[in-house]
Amino acid sequence: HMGLKIMANIGITLGIREEGEKALACFESALEEARETGDRIAEGAILGNMGIQHQNLGHMDEALACFEASLTLAEETGSIKSQGIVLGNMGILHNNQGRLKEALACYERSYELRKKAGNRRGQAVALLNMGSLDLELNNVKEAQTCFQEALEIAREIENPWDEAVALGNLGLLHFRQGNLETAEESARQSISISRNTGARKNLVSS
């Protein structure tokens, strides 16, 4: 499946370079080969990547269709890790579209699956996304629990990107609660780490 892997990797590279339409063309070629060879694991992964590119291009219906197809294949092939990743991406899509209950349900399922798979970084990502949505819904206690657990995991696995996001979100939460000194300290730590790592996103996917 060398050709499939090459086309998929080129598609990922083009996606990183924000050349979405070209990336989709590569993924379409890789998808066709995956289906011809019966490689369902590769098919699911490619569909997930296509979903991300469609979302980046604003093709929300196509993105959701790709994510749903990818999730079905991940379930059929028994890939718990892939299920967790796809559900996280579906949650971000629902969140961006204002479907907050659906987003939270996806994040929660993603967290449980990533925990089951032993994917610690994935757990941190899911917790950050859950916390951000809880904060938006004014579920302050739940948000704080999510951000604090994400912070602990990020430090455990030495991931400064997630550590900075967790600290930044904790700072925002403390600010809203009127705990200005605590908010300032969390924000200061987050900015310091961000300057060294470029970590500036509130929603993260993996």
Side-chain angles (χ1 to χ4, degrees), residues 76-202:
E76 290 176 358
T77 57
S79 176
I80 296 172
K81 183 177 180 180
S82 295
Q83 291 174 51
I85 291 170
V86 176
L87 280 163
N89 287 327
M90 287 177 70
I92 292 172
L93 186 147
H94 285 308
N95 197 357
N96 290 341
Q97 293 291 96
R99 297 186 290 270
L100 303 187
K101 288 184 179 179
E102 292 91 335
L104 190 57
C106 285
Y107 291 151
E108 289 172 347
R109 284 180 64 197
S110 177
Y111 171 75
E112 292 301 329
L113 286 163
R114 287 170 165 180
K115 186 175 181 180
K116 187 176 180 180
N119 181 359
R120 295 293 279 164
R121 202 269 156 158
Q123 285 177 250
V125 168
L127 285 162
L128 289 170
N129 288 337
M130 286 164 60
S132 293
L133 186 49
D134 275 323
L135 190 58
E136 188 175 342
L137 294 169
N138 208 31
N139 300 330
V140 177
K141 186 177 180 180
E142 292 86 345
Q144 185 166 359
T145 299
C146 287
F147 293 146
Q148 194 62 49
E149 186 178 347
L151 178 61
E152 291 169 6
I153 293 173
R155 286 174 171 168
E156 174 195 322
I157 64 175
E158 299 182 351
N159 187 310
W161 180 285
D162 294 342
E163 183 181 359
V165 175
L167 283 165
N169 285 334
L170 280 167
L172 178 59
L173 185 148
H174 289 307
F175 178 78
R176 291 187 181 180
Q177 291 179 309
N179 304 325
L180 301 186
E181 288 186 10
T182 306
E184 184 178 1
E185 175 60 20
S186 294
R188 185 190 63 76
Q189 291 182 49
S190 176
I191 291 168
S192 177
I193 295 169
S194 296
R195 283 174 176 163
N196 293 328
T197 64
R200 289 184 171 82
K201 289 187 178 180
N202 290 324

